[in-house]
Amino acid sequence: MMSLAELICPAGTPAALRVAVDAGADAVYCGFQDATNARNFPGLNFTPDELAASVVYAHAHGTKVLLALNTYPPAGKLDLWRHAADTGARLGVDAFIVADMGVADYIAHTHPQVRLHLSVQAAASSPEAIRYYCESFGVKRVVLPRILTIPEIRQIRKEIPCEIETFIFGNHGLMVEGRCSLTNYLTGQSTNMDGVCSPASDVEYVRDADGSMSSQLAGFTIDRFGPDEKAGYPTICKGRYTAPHRPEGYYAFEEPVSLNLSRLLPELIEAGVHAFKIEGRQRSKSYVRGVVRAFRAAVDDIKAGRKANIADLLALTEGQKQTQGAFETKKWR
Amino acid sequence: MSIHADVNTRPPGPGRTAAARLACVLIQPFLSRVVRRTAARHPSLFARLGPHQTTDFLIDPVELPFALHLRPDPEALVFRAVPRDAAPHTGAVIRGRFLLLLELVDSEQDGDAAFFSRDLEVSGDTEAVVRLRNALDDIDGSLAEETAAMFGAPGRAMLARLRRAYLNDTKGQECI
Ligand code: SF4
């Protein structure tokens, strides 16, 4: 299987989808306005009618549409996911991105003509686990968890019968994907079943007289940024906490930072990665336009044998910091 | 220039207050026209606002003499200039430099990036702000240009001048 270095781009609204298509996305991924996807944010995502028009627009421009159904149905509530899959199939999406085995099984039996991609939320990181999904549900592509080095990806590639997709840019949580319960612990809402980490309804930003800003989740202070300090999202994994041995406050898990693998693209292609994913369905059209254009140009340069001259995307990163995470070294965190 | 400098050095004072009130009166007919036209041309944005159609937003362009009160209720739209000392208590506040806010409305800049860099501040009901952001982001084209076009060639010239000023101001800060 040859690496095609497809660019998989985020779309939180129909307007963002058109921007991604026009900026050179090979495929866009999106979700419905409910808990069936992991960016179930207020005012975001697609109605069935909007998705229908978006599929027509994308296909007219040669771009595929991947529908994220990548959350886990609570017991007895599979109907919402089944219905979303039926709607997606009827509207002609090119693939479903799934995490839950029940959802995968339903689609494999009911809509076998539509490709299945295994979401990063499934956290399948070993050849054995990935082969199981391929053999049981006919999965055609796995989105790898962000815990593997490039040599590990190269080795996995040799041992699995499906395509590999990796994240190359965007938000970078550090818990095992699909298993993080930090938001649930504070807010009662589940990232993996309700589709939202740090729900906006539980977030508050408080400005102090000196220009400092505290970010709070469900009444707990997650971080406090000095007047001229760069800020991050109010996610628990990137909170700055005080402890008896660190009274000044410290980042217990990870600091606000985004993934940026622009410099590793040639090695990822050489390792057999088939598709590159850009995170950020919750971001603006401006972000989508800037990031997709930058990576489109870089991938085209590499494919044409030129040295990629990737634009500086630092201003779009969380906390205005970027990392290559585990892709570069296992020593990361 | 960080917005904290603007916010913290803004001196109150009677002359300034009177000027702010006068500016509010003068600009109001323009704001009413803009909001009615935007609502008529982009009715889909109300669906994304959901329950926050009746939330009061205070949009605070720090270097202007007044703030803007928005209630995006399709049944009773409110968009009015208010002196800061007479601003109503609102559910959510969005604060930044005027031209940044204009760029955000038009998706020329990314709101999260402006938040990370501390050029944009939000407070109050975060869900309301997120809904408003997503509703505006789903609009194709430029609200600023639509608005400028309402005033013909002088409107367009004014917008071009504002944008040039903004670009000169932020030169060297752009990332892409
Ligand atoms: S808290 Fe962090 S690791 Fe957990 S879901 Fe949210 S972003 Fe991901």
Side-chain angles (χ1 to χ4, degrees):
Chain A
M1 223 176 311
M2 205 182 85
S3 170
L4 296 174
E6 275 180 29
L7 214 47
I8 316 297
C9 305
T13 62
L17 180 140
R18 291 189 288 274
V19 165
V21 168
D22 297 348
D26 293 305
V28 285
Y29 64 104
C30 49
F32 286 128
Q33 295 176 349
D34 58 32
T36 57
N37 74 96
R39 288 288 182 272
N40 181 20
F41 290 8
L44 201 71
N45 292 325
F46 292 64
T47 64
D49 284 348
E50 287 172 345
L51 185 62
S54 300
V55 169
V56 170
Y57 184 87
H59 286 175
H61 291 78
T63 306
K64 298 189 192 93
V65 177
L66 319 182
L67 183 64
L69 301 177
N70 56 347
T71 39
Y72 289 87
K77 300 236 170 97
L78 193 66
D79 276 356
L80 185 64
W81 280 256
R82 285 197 196 110
H83 182 66
D86 295 344
T87 306
R90 178 169 52 78
L91 299 180
V93 301
D94 299 279
F96 294 112
I97 308 169
V98 300
D100 179 75
M101 291 191 202
V103 177
D105 185 67
Y106 175 75
I107 294 172
H109 284 98
T110 317
H111 305 292
Q113 77 285 6
V114 187
R115 278 169 67 101
L116 267 182
H117 293 184
L118 189 64
S119 169
V120 71
Q121 285 285 98
S125 56
S126 68
E128 291 79 4
I130 297 165
R131 279 200 303 266
Y132 177 79
Y133 283 101
C134 295
E135 286 157 16
S136 305
F137 311 111
V139 161
K140 297 283 191 292
R141 180 183 297 176
V142 59
V143 185
L144 286 181
R146 286 159 275 197
I147 56 166
L148 300 161
T149 61
I150 293 179
E152 286 172 330
I153 293 172
R154 189 181 293 115
Q155 186 56 36
I156 287 176
R157 177 70 199 86
K158 291 181 191 145
E159 297 180 40
I160 61 170
C162 71
E163 300 162 359
I164 287 180
E165 181 173 311
T166 56
F167 279 89
I168 50 168
F169 190 83
N171 199 3
H172 194 216
L174 75 161
M175 304 300 161
V176 176
E177 286 99 337
R179 312 282 192 269
C180 178
S181 293
L182 290 173
T183 280
N184 203 343
Y185 179 65
L186 285 199
T187 71
Q189 292 199 60
S190 163
T191 303
N192 306 311
M193 293 193 285
D194 298 309
V196 59
C197 168
S198 297
S201 53
D202 286 283
V203 171
E204 196 172 351
Y205 300 106
V206 180
R207 184 178 195 279
D208 298 329
D210 68 349
S212 298
M213 191 243 321
S214 298
S215 55
Q216 300 181 351
L217 181 66
F220 294 92
T221 299
I222 300 296
D223 207 338
R224 185 167 186 272
F225 303 98
D228 293 312
E229 208 176 354
K230 305 301 177 205
Y233 288 120
T235 43
I236 305 168
C237 67
K238 292 176 185 162
R240 187 161 35 176
Y241 306 104
T242 54
H245 67 296
R246 300 289 293 272
E248 77 285 6
Y250 76 119
Y251 288 107
F253 306 106
E254 174 59 296
E255 58 188 352
V257 67
S258 293
L259 185 73
N260 185 354
L261 300 189
S262 52
R263 285 196 286 136
L264 297 180
L265 292 178
E267 287 170 66
L268 289 164
I269 292 174
E270 178 272 323
V273 173
H274 186 96
F276 295 134
K277 181 166 229 149
I278 295 166
E279 186 276 343
R281 284 194 284 138
Q282 74 285 10
R283 299 291 290 264
S284 67
K285 286 185 304 210
S286 166
Y287 167 96
V288 170
R289 189 186 303 120
V291 179
V292 175
R293 273 189 195 159
F295 280 102
R296 176 77 278 156
V299 167
D300 288 349
D301 279 346
I302 294 165
K303 281 167 134 180
R306 297 186 293 265
K307 190 174 169 332
N309 185 15
I310 186 98
D312 181 5
L313 299 171
L314 187 66
L316 292 172
T317 57
E318 186 178 1
Q320 299 199 337
K321 286 194 211 95
Q322 48 197 5
T323 177
Q324 298 183 131
F327 291 86
E328 186 192 18
T329 166
K330 269 301 203 223
K331 287 192 188 133
W332 172 76
R333 285 284 155 184
Chain B
M1 179 174 43
S2 114
I3 73 165
H4 310 110
D6 282 316
V7 173
N8 294 331
T9 58
R10 187 190 306 135
R16 201 177 162 103
T17 310
R21 284 180 208 288
L22 180 63
C24 292
V25 172
L26 292 177
I27 200 158
Q28 191 52 51
F30 164 74
L31 295 178
S32 303
R33 236 176 113 187
V34 167
V35 76
R36 277 200 306 271
R37 190 180 158 100
T38 303
R41 288 180 69 117
H42 305 286
S44 63
L45 67 82
F46 294 106
R48 290 195 182 271
L49 283 164
H52 289 289
Q53 291 177 355
T54 51
T55 294
D56 290 294
F57 295 86
L58 190 75
I59 299 160
D60 187 2
V62 290
E63 71 277 56
L64 294 196
F66 51 79
L68 299 163
H69 169 208
L70 169 71
R71 190 189 310 133
D73 179 354
E75 304 299 322
L77 279 169
V78 174
F79 192 40
R80 62 189 183 108
V82 287
R84 284 192 179 80
D85 61 350
H89 183 75
T90 51
V93 179
I94 302 167
R95 180 174 287 128
R97 295 171 65 201
F98 172 66
L99 286 160
L100 170 67
L101 297 173
L102 202 64
E103 295 266 303
L104 291 174
V105 165
D106 273 358
S107 256
E108 290 296 322
Q109 295 234 10
D110 179 66
D112 291 18
F115 173 80
F116 298 149
S117 66
R118 307 293 300 283
D119 292 318
L120 179 73
E121 276 186 13
V122 298
S123 56
D125 190 328
T126 309
E127 176 172 326
V129 176
V130 170
R131 278 192 178 272
L132 180 62
R133 198 279 304 265
N134 289 334
L136 291 172
D137 207 59
D138 193 32
I139 290 179
D140 279 322
S142 159
L143 281 183
E145 272 162 30
E146 280 180 20
T147 303
M150 284 164 61
F151 301 91
R156 281 190 285 268
M158 171 69 94
L159 179 64
R161 246 176 68 192
L162 283 172
R163 283 191 168 147
R164 268 200 306 278
Y166 181 77
L167 282 177
N168 283 339
D169 239 24
T170 54
K171 217 172 252 170
Q173 295 177 26
E174 293 149 83
C175 63
I176 41 179

